[in-house]
Amino acid sequence: MNIEGLSEQEVAESRRLHGDNRLTEHATESFWDKLWDNFNDPIIKILCVALIINVVFAFMGQAKWYESVGIAMAVLIATLVSTFSEYRNENAFQSLQADASRILCKVYRSGNISEIAIDDIVVGDCVLLQTGDKIPADGVIIQGHIQVDQSVLNGESEEIEKTALSDSDADQQRNLLDYHSVYRGAIVAAGNAVMRVTIVGDESEYGRIAGELQTDEERDTPLKLKLGKLADDISKFGYYGGTLIAIAYMFQRIVIQNGFDIAAINAYCSNWMIVGHDLIEAVMLAVIIIVVAVPEGLPLMIAIVSAQNMGKMLKENVLVRKLSGIETAGSLNILFSDKTGTITKGQLEVVTFLDGQGRTHKATTDLSAELGRLVSLSIRQNTAAVVTADGQIVGGNGTDRALLSFIRDLPDEPGDEVVDTVLFNSTNKYSAAQIRGRDNLTLIKGAPERIIDRCTTYYDETGHVQPLITDMLNAKLDELAGRAIRLLAVATTSAPLEKGSLPDGEWTLVGVVGIRDEVRPESITALEEVRRAGVQVVMITGDRRETAAAIAKECGLVKSADDVVITSDELAAKSDEEIVGILPRLRVVARALPSDKSRLVRIAKSLNLVVGMTGDGVNDSPALKQADVGFAMGGGTEVAKEASEIVILDDNFKSIERAVLYGRTIYNNIRKFVVFQLTINVAAVGISFVAPLLGFQPPLTITQMLWVNLVMDTLAALALGGEPALAEYMREKPKRRDENIISKPMWTQILTGATWTFALSLVYIMTSFASGFFRPDPDDMFNKYLLTGYFSFFILIAVCNAFNVRTNGLNLLANVGRNPGFIQVMGLIVIVQVIMTYLGGEVLSCYGLVASEWGFVIVTALTIIPVDMIRKIIIR
C-alpha cells in the first residue's frame, strides 16, 4: 500500500475540526497559591489570631511592637520554608514530566515521512510504528502487524498482536482487546506497522482517564487531623488558662494586696483609674498566656523537618511532590503494590537452563563447549531481536531480549544463513528458523508442551544425540513451573519447514530455558521491614494465580495457609462486606483489573485505614489519586505521576520502605518537639496562674515569656527537626487516623517535666533557700538578681529537657553524632541566654549574675535529667 498521508491543507482542516494531540495540562499551584494554602494550617491560624490581638494592644500602648514582629516572623518563616520546599520539588517534578513528554513520531505527510512532536499529530495522520515506539494517539492499524504492550492502560503484561484493518472489517471499536485498534501510551514490543489516527488529545483513552483525575476530592491527611485536634485542645487550654490567670491576677490586686481588708478593698475598687489599669494588665497577661500556650515553633518545626527529609529522600530516589505525601507515608496501614518493576526487576531474565538429562545450569559458563554452541546457534538464528555494534540488544519482545542476553558470552560463529522463518504467535506458541551452511537444521523454540512431546532424542555434553527419557525431565519442569518460571523448549530437526509449518519426523531437544521476572533481592528485605512496621502489603498483578502466588511466597508476602490469594473474577463475585471480612488476610490479587484497585482503596478507606497505592500506568491513576498517598514509578506514565504524591525514581520497593521510614521520622520528630514545647508552656502557664494567688508577681515578665517562645523554641525546632531516621521507628505500629498526636507516655513526660519545673519555680520565688544563693537587692522588694536567675533557670532547664525528649532511652547522647546541629543549637541557646542576661537590661528585666549564682541556676536546671530518667525506668 502506497501511503501519502495528509497534505498541509488537510492537516490544518483536521486540526480545526478535531484539535491536535495536546493533552490539557493539570492546573499547577503557583508559589503564592501554595503559600496561601499553608496559612490554612490550624496552628498557623491560632498564631494569626494571637498576632492580631497583639497588634491591637500594641496600638493601645499596652504591648511592645517587637512582640508582634516576633509572632509575625514565626508565622512567615514557617509558611515560607514549607512552601519553598514543595515548590522546589514540584518544579523538579514538572521538569521530569516535560522531559518524558518530548516524544517525536514518524508521520507520513504529503508523501514523505517526517518526525513531528507528539502534540502536533492530528486525526487522519498515518504514523509509522516500529519496535520500541510509544503509540502517540488512538487509531487503527492499516498496514503491517505489531505486538503491543498495553499494560499502562489495562495492567495486563501479556503482549497483544495487532493486525491491519481490512476493508471487510468493521470500523474501529473502543476496545483494548480489538485486534486492529491501538491506543495512546501503549508500547510496540515487536514488528512494524502503520496506524491511522482516529482520536487525539483529551478524547483518547489516555486523555480521558487523565481528565477524570482532576475532579477527585482529597481527604485530610492523618497529620493534619491530629494537628487540628491538637490546635483545638491548645486553644481551649490557652483560653481557659488565660481567663483563670486574669481572674487570679485581679484577685491578687484586689484582695491579697489589700490584706483581705474590706475597707481597703472598697477603697481600691472606688478608684476606677487603678482598677482599669490593673484590668488592662490582667487582660494583657491573659493574651500573652494564650500566645505562650500556642507552640509557635511547631509549624516551623514541621516545615524544617519536612524540608530536610525531602532533600534526603531525593538523594535516595524518592521525589516528594507534596509534603502531605511523606507525612502520610509514615502512617500507612495498608499498601496495594504492583509487582512488575516494583517488587520484581521489571525485566525478563534467564534464571536456569535444563539440559536433556534434567541437569540445571545457572549460566552459559556451566555448559560444555559443544552444547553451548548449539544453544547459541538455536537462539541467535531464531529471534526477532538483534545485537547492535555497541552491544545493545534491541527489537523483538522481552523473551527474545532475555534469551540473547543469556548467551551474550557465547561465541557467535558465522557460517549459517536463515532461509525461512515462522514468527511466534499466541496461537501456535512457537517460532522456527530454517538455516543452511555449516548446520543444515530447522531451529525451533516455544512452549514445552508443544515441543518436548515431538522430541525423541537430546544433545548430550559432547553434542552427540542420545535417547530422551521425558519422565524425569517433566518432573523438573513441573518443579520450575511451580516457582513461577516461564519455560521455553529449544529443539532442532533436520527436516525443512513446510510452507510455514513445523516439519514432521524426529526432533532433538537442545534444552529448556527458564525465564522469569526476578524478585529484587532488596525487595524481600524491604517487604519484611514494611510488614514488621505493621503495614499490610497486598500485591496486585495481572499475572495468573499460580505465578502470582509463587512470587508472593518467594518475597515473603504469603507465609501461611490463612493468607488469601484471590483472582479478579473471585473478587468481583464478592460483596463489599465479604471483602471487608477477608481484607486483613488478603495478600495477592491476581489477574487484576484497574477497577479492582479503585474498589480495594475505597473499601480500605471506609474502614478508616490510611491507604497507599503504587502504580505506573494510566490505568493505575484513578486508584493512585483516590489513595491517601500514591506512589508513582519514575518509569511510568506522566498521568500516573500527576496523580501521585510521591514519585519513586528507581521503581524499587526499597525506596517505598525508605519513604515509610522518613514519614515516621517526621512524625516522631514532631512529637518530640510537641513534648519539648508543651512542657515549657504548661510550666509557664502554671506558675503564672499560681504566683498571683500566693501574693507574688508572675516571675516571668510578658517580654520574657515571648522571648522563651519566639527565640528558644524556634531554635529548638531546628535542633529537633534534624533528628535522624532510626530503624526502631519501623518497629512501631502505624498510628490510627483518629489517634491523638500526644500519647499517654508523652503526657507523662510533659506533666513530669512541667510539674518538676513548676515545683522548682516555687522554690525560687517562695523560699529563703533559693534567695540565699543570690545577692540581696535593697532597692526592690522583688530581688532582680533572683528573678534574673529564675529566668535563666527556665531557659536552661528547657535545654536540659531537650536531651530527655530526643530519645526514649537512658543514653541521652544516643545517635547525637547523626544530628550535630542539635548540640550546636542547644549550645547557641545557652550562649545567647548568658549574653542576654548581661545585655537584656530593662527590656528583658535581666541583670548580670556572678559565678555562685550561675552555679545554683545550672545545678537546679540539670535536676530535670535524673527526674525524667526515673520516669523512663518506671514507664518501662
Side-chain angles (χ1 to χ4, degrees), residues 224-257:
K224 188 172 183 179
L225 287 174
K226 292 175 173 65
L227 290 178
K229 190 174 186 307
L230 177 64
D232 291 340
D233 293 341
I234 288 173
S235 298
K236 292 175 183 177
F237 175 74
Y239 297 148
Y240 295 152
T243 302
L244 290 173
I245 287 173
I247 293 172
Y249 181 84
M250 289 306 296
F251 181 79
Q252 190 270 339
R253 301 298 292 173
I254 297 171
V255 179
I256 298 177
Q257 184 173 273

Tab-separated table of all heavy atoms in Angstrom, residues 224-257:
chain	number	residue	atom	x	y	z
A	224	LYS	N	-2.655	16.169	59.503
A	224	LYS	CA	-3.487	17.369	59.556
A	224	LYS	C	-4.632	17.189	60.543
A	224	LYS	O	-4.988	18.108	61.292
A	224	LYS	CB	-4.029	17.695	58.158
A	224	LYS	CG	-4.738	19.045	58.086
A	224	LYS	CD	-5.075	19.420	56.660
A	224	LYS	CE	-5.720	20.799	56.598
A	224	LYS	NZ	-6.038	21.180	55.201
A	225	LEU	N	-5.223	15.982	60.554
A	225	LEU	CA	-6.292	15.699	61.516
A	225	LEU	C	-5.767	15.799	62.952
A	225	LEU	O	-6.407	16.398	63.825
A	225	LEU	CB	-6.866	14.306	61.274
A	225	LEU	CG	-7.745	14.112	60.033
A	225	LEU	CD1	-8.097	12.640	59.884
A	225	LEU	CD2	-9.010	14.951	60.142
A	226	LYS	N	-4.594	15.205	63.180
A	226	LYS	CA	-4.033	15.197	64.529
A	226	LYS	C	-3.650	16.606	64.967
A	226	LYS	O	-3.890	17.002	66.120
A	226	LYS	CB	-2.808	14.277	64.574
A	226	LYS	CG	-3.147	12.792	64.402
A	226	LYS	CD	-1.887	11.958	64.333
A	226	LYS	CE	-2.179	10.469	64.335
A	226	LYS	NZ	-2.907	10.017	63.153
A	227	LEU	N	-3.054	17.377	64.060
A	227	LEU	CA	-2.671	18.749	64.409
A	227	LEU	C	-3.901	19.625	64.613
A	227	LEU	O	-3.892	20.539	65.445
A	227	LEU	CB	-1.776	19.343	63.322
A	227	LEU	CG	-0.363	18.755	63.219
A	227	LEU	CD1	0.398	19.402	62.072
A	227	LEU	CD2	0.396	18.945	64.528
A	228	GLY	N	-4.954	19.354	63.841
A	228	GLY	CA	-6.192	20.112	64.035
A	228	GLY	C	-6.765	19.883	65.418
A	228	GLY	O	-7.196	20.826	66.096
A	229	LYS	N	-6.765	18.630	65.849
A	229	LYS	CA	-7.261	18.314	67.194
A	229	LYS	C	-6.350	18.925	68.257
A	229	LYS	O	-6.821	19.462	69.272
A	229	LYS	CB	-7.347	16.805	67.385
A	229	LYS	CG	-8.079	16.382	68.651
A	229	LYS	CD	-8.263	14.886	68.713
A	229	LYS	CE	-9.132	14.486	69.901
A	229	LYS	NZ	-8.666	15.017	71.167
A	230	LEU	N	-5.033	18.855	68.026
A	230	LEU	CA	-4.087	19.459	68.975
A	230	LEU	C	-4.313	20.960	69.066
A	230	LEU	O	-4.281	21.535	70.162
A	230	LEU	CB	-2.650	19.162	68.528
A	230	LEU	CG	-1.539	19.794	69.388
A	230	LEU	CD1	-1.563	19.234	70.796
A	230	LEU	CD2	-0.167	19.566	68.735
A	231	ALA	N	-4.556	21.596	67.908
A	231	ALA	CA	-4.796	23.041	67.909
A	231	ALA	C	-6.049	23.387	68.711
A	231	ALA	O	-6.065	24.367	69.467
A	231	ALA	CB	-4.934	23.546	66.474
A	232	ASP	N	-7.097	22.578	68.555
A	232	ASP	CA	-8.314	22.814	69.332
A	232	ASP	C	-8.046	22.686	70.826
A	232	ASP	O	-8.493	23.523	71.634
A	232	ASP	CB	-9.410	21.826	68.918
A	232	ASP	CG	-9.934	22.091	67.518
A	232	ASP	OD1	-9.739	23.220	67.037
A	232	ASP	OD2	-10.519	21.173	66.921
A	233	ASP	N	-7.298	21.636	71.199
A	233	ASP	CA	-7.008	21.421	72.617
A	233	ASP	C	-6.143	22.544	73.181
A	233	ASP	O	-6.366	23.013	74.301
A	233	ASP	CB	-6.298	20.073	72.812
A	233	ASP	CG	-7.195	18.889	72.483
A	233	ASP	OD1	-8.432	19.086	72.464
A	233	ASP	OD2	-6.669	17.786	72.236
A	234	ILE	N	-5.151	22.971	72.395
A	234	ILE	CA	-4.269	24.053	72.852
A	234	ILE	C	-5.061	25.350	72.980
A	234	ILE	O	-4.869	26.127	73.921
A	234	ILE	CB	-3.085	24.223	71.889
A	234	ILE	CG1	-2.121	23.038	72.039
A	234	ILE	CG2	-2.339	25.518	72.162
A	234	ILE	CD1	-1.004	23.022	71.020
A	235	SER	N	-5.953	25.595	72.031
A	235	SER	CA	-6.771	26.814	72.090
A	235	SER	C	-7.601	26.829	73.370
A	235	SER	O	-7.650	27.848	74.076
A	235	SER	CB	-7.690	26.885	70.872
A	235	SER	OG	-6.948	26.957	69.686
A	236	LYS	N	-8.249	25.702	73.676
A	236	LYS	CA	-9.057	25.636	74.891
A	236	LYS	C	-8.193	25.844	76.136
A	236	LYS	O	-8.552	26.586	77.052
A	236	LYS	CB	-9.772	24.293	74.968
A	236	LYS	CG	-10.847	24.104	73.895
A	236	LYS	CD	-11.433	22.700	73.938
A	236	LYS	CE	-12.455	22.500	72.822
A	236	LYS	NZ	-12.981	21.110	72.814
A	237	PHE	N	-7.024	25.172	76.146
A	237	PHE	CA	-6.114	25.315	77.279
A	237	PHE	C	-5.678	26.772	77.434
A	237	PHE	O	-5.659	27.316	78.540
A	237	PHE	CB	-4.893	24.420	77.072
A	237	PHE	CG	-3.827	24.581	78.116
A	237	PHE	CD1	-3.996	24.064	79.392
A	237	PHE	CD2	-2.645	25.252	77.826
A	237	PHE	CE1	-3.016	24.218	80.362
A	237	PHE	CE2	-1.664	25.409	78.778
A	237	PHE	CZ	-1.845	24.883	80.057
A	238	GLY	N	-5.343	27.397	76.297
A	238	GLY	CA	-4.910	28.797	76.358
A	238	GLY	C	-6.022	29.727	76.806
A	238	GLY	O	-5.812	30.607	77.650
A	239	TYR	N	-7.229	29.532	76.268
A	239	TYR	CA	-8.341	30.412	76.629
A	239	TYR	C	-8.730	30.243	78.103
A	239	TYR	O	-8.896	31.225	78.824
A	239	TYR	CB	-9.553	30.126	75.731
A	239	TYR	CG	-9.301	30.402	74.262
A	239	TYR	CD1	-9.933	29.653	73.268
A	239	TYR	CD2	-8.414	31.410	73.861
A	239	TYR	CE1	-9.690	29.896	71.929
A	239	TYR	CE2	-8.176	31.651	72.518
A	239	TYR	CZ	-8.811	30.890	71.566
A	239	TYR	OH	-8.576	31.130	70.237
A	240	TYR	N	-8.866	28.977	78.523
A	240	TYR	CA	-9.224	28.739	79.922
A	240	TYR	C	-8.111	29.206	80.853
A	240	TYR	O	-8.360	29.851	81.878
A	240	TYR	CB	-9.504	27.245	80.163
A	240	TYR	CG	-10.709	26.722	79.411
A	240	TYR	CD1	-10.793	25.383	79.025
A	240	TYR	CD2	-11.771	27.563	79.071
A	240	TYR	CE1	-11.888	24.903	78.333
A	240	TYR	CE2	-12.867	27.075	78.377
A	240	TYR	CZ	-12.927	25.752	78.001
A	240	TYR	OH	-14.011	25.287	77.317
A	241	GLY	N	-6.856	28.860	80.462
A	241	GLY	CA	-5.726	29.267	81.293
A	241	GLY	C	-5.600	30.771	81.367
A	241	GLY	O	-5.370	31.346	82.446
A	242	GLY	N	-5.744	31.447	80.221
A	242	GLY	CA	-5.649	32.910	80.203
A	242	GLY	C	-6.733	33.544	81.049
A	242	GLY	O	-6.480	34.508	81.796
A	243	THR	N	-7.953	33.026	80.951
A	243	THR	CA	-9.066	33.580	81.748
A	243	THR	C	-8.816	33.390	83.237
A	243	THR	O	-8.992	34.332	84.036
A	243	THR	CB	-10.386	32.895	81.340
A	243	THR	OG1	-10.615	33.090	79.944
A	243	THR	CG2	-11.546	33.472	82.134
A	244	LEU	N	-8.401	32.191	83.634
A	244	LEU	CA	-8.137	31.928	85.052
A	244	LEU	C	-6.990	32.781	85.576
A	244	LEU	O	-7.026	33.273	86.712
A	244	LEU	CB	-7.826	30.441	85.257
A	244	LEU	CG	-9.008	29.484	85.077
A	244	LEU	CD1	-8.538	28.036	85.144
A	244	LEU	CD2	-10.082	29.747	86.140
A	245	ILE	N	-5.966	32.969	84.759
A	245	ILE	CA	-4.830	33.796	85.196
A	245	ILE	C	-5.250	35.250	85.331
A	245	ILE	O	-4.829	35.946	86.266
A	245	ILE	CB	-3.661	33.631	84.211
A	245	ILE	CG1	-3.022	32.248	84.417
A	245	ILE	CG2	-2.623	34.728	84.386
A	245	ILE	CD1	-1.974	31.886	83.406
A	246	ALA	N	-6.097	35.725	84.404
A	246	ALA	CA	-6.590	37.105	84.533
A	246	ALA	C	-7.394	37.259	85.825
A	246	ALA	O	-7.257	38.253	86.547
A	246	ALA	CB	-7.453	37.466	83.325
A	247	ILE	N	-8.223	36.258	86.129
A	247	ILE	CA	-9.011	36.295	87.379
A	247	ILE	C	-8.086	36.242	88.584
A	247	ILE	O	-8.245	36.996	89.561
A	247	ILE	CB	-10.011	35.122	87.398
A	247	ILE	CG1	-11.072	35.318	86.300
A	247	ILE	CG2	-10.669	35.000	88.768
A	247	ILE	CD1	-11.984	34.119	86.120
A	248	ALA	N	-7.071	35.351	88.507
A	248	ALA	CA	-6.121	35.238	89.617
A	248	ALA	C	-5.353	36.539	89.815
A	248	ALA	O	-5.089	36.964	90.953
A	248	ALA	CB	-5.157	34.081	89.346
A	249	TYR	N	-4.976	37.159	88.706
A	249	TYR	CA	-4.235	38.425	88.805
A	249	TYR	C	-5.088	39.498	89.479
A	249	TYR	O	-4.619	40.220	90.374
A	249	TYR	CB	-3.825	38.871	87.397
A	249	TYR	CG	-3.027	40.152	87.377
A	249	TYR	CD1	-1.656	40.140	87.580
A	249	TYR	CD2	-3.649	41.392	87.152
A	249	TYR	CE1	-0.922	41.317	87.561
A	249	TYR	CE2	-2.937	42.570	87.130
A	249	TYR	CZ	-1.562	42.524	87.337
A	249	TYR	OH	-0.844	43.697	87.319
A	250	MET	N	-6.345	39.617	89.061
A	250	MET	CA	-7.225	40.633	89.668
A	250	MET	C	-7.510	40.296	91.134
A	250	MET	O	-7.616	41.198	91.977
A	250	MET	CB	-8.540	40.711	88.878
A	250	MET	CG	-8.382	41.339	87.497
A	250	MET	SD	-7.610	42.972	87.510
A	250	MET	CE	-8.835	43.928	88.446
A	251	PHE	N	-7.617	38.994	91.445
A	251	PHE	CA	-7.814	38.594	92.845
A	251	PHE	C	-6.616	39.026	93.684
A	251	PHE	O	-6.761	39.527	94.814
A	251	PHE	CB	-8.004	37.074	92.928
A	251	PHE	CG	-8.234	36.557	94.312
A	251	PHE	CD1	-9.492	36.659	94.901
A	251	PHE	CD2	-7.199	35.992	95.059
A	251	PHE	CE1	-9.711	36.191	96.199
A	251	PHE	CE2	-7.410	35.513	96.343
A	251	PHE	CZ	-8.672	35.620	96.914
A	252	GLN	N	-5.437	38.868	93.132
A	252	GLN	CA	-4.232	39.279	93.856
A	252	GLN	C	-4.216	40.787	94.059
A	252	GLN	O	-3.889	41.284	95.154
A	252	GLN	CB	-2.994	38.816	93.076
A	252	GLN	CG	-1.680	38.956	93.834
A	252	GLN	CD	-1.011	40.308	93.621
A	252	GLN	OE1	-1.293	41.000	92.648
A	252	GLN	NE2	-0.168	40.704	94.567
A	253	ARG	N	-4.579	41.550	93.035
A	253	ARG	CA	-4.539	43.023	93.128
A	253	ARG	C	-5.637	43.548	94.053
A	253	ARG	O	-5.420	44.509	94.819
A	253	ARG	CB	-4.720	43.635	91.730
A	253	ARG	CG	-3.676	43.225	90.717
A	253	ARG	CD	-2.275	43.654	91.076
A	253	ARG	NE	-2.126	45.099	91.022
A	253	ARG	CZ	-1.052	45.765	91.414
A	253	ARG	NH1	-0.034	45.091	91.949
A	253	ARG	NH2	-0.983	47.072	91.319
A	254	ILE	N	-6.801	42.922	94.011
A	254	ILE	CA	-7.925	43.456	94.786
A	254	ILE	C	-7.924	42.943	96.221
A	254	ILE	O	-8.069	43.719	97.184
A	254	ILE	CB	-9.266	43.095	94.103
A	254	ILE	CG1	-9.358	43.750	92.718
A	254	ILE	CG2	-10.443	43.519	94.967
A	254	ILE	CD1	-10.545	43.282	91.898
A	255	VAL	N	-7.694	41.651	96.389
A	255	VAL	CA	-7.879	41.034	97.705
A	255	VAL	C	-6.560	40.855	98.453
A	255	VAL	O	-6.365	41.365	99.557
A	255	VAL	CB	-8.598	39.675	97.573
A	255	VAL	CG1	-8.769	39.019	98.947
A	255	VAL	CG2	-9.961	39.872	96.913
A	256	ILE	N	-5.644	40.109	97.841
A	256	ILE	CA	-4.407	39.773	98.559
A	256	ILE	C	-3.577	41.017	98.831
A	256	ILE	O	-3.077	41.218	99.951
A	256	ILE	CB	-3.598	38.731	97.749
A	256	ILE	CG1	-4.395	37.432	97.592
A	256	ILE	CG2	-2.250	38.453	98.431
A	256	ILE	CD1	-3.707	36.385	96.749
A	257	GLN	N	-3.432	41.875	97.825
A	257	GLN	CA	-2.606	43.085	98.008
A	257	GLN	C	-3.172	43.989	99.094
A	257	GLN	O	-2.427	44.719	99.749
A	257	GLN	CB	-2.498	43.843	96.677
A	257	GLN	CG	-1.581	45.059	96.721
A	257	GLN	CD	-1.381	45.662	95.350
A	257	GLN	OE1	-0.510	45.261	94.600
A	257	GLN	NE2	-2.213	46.619	95.006
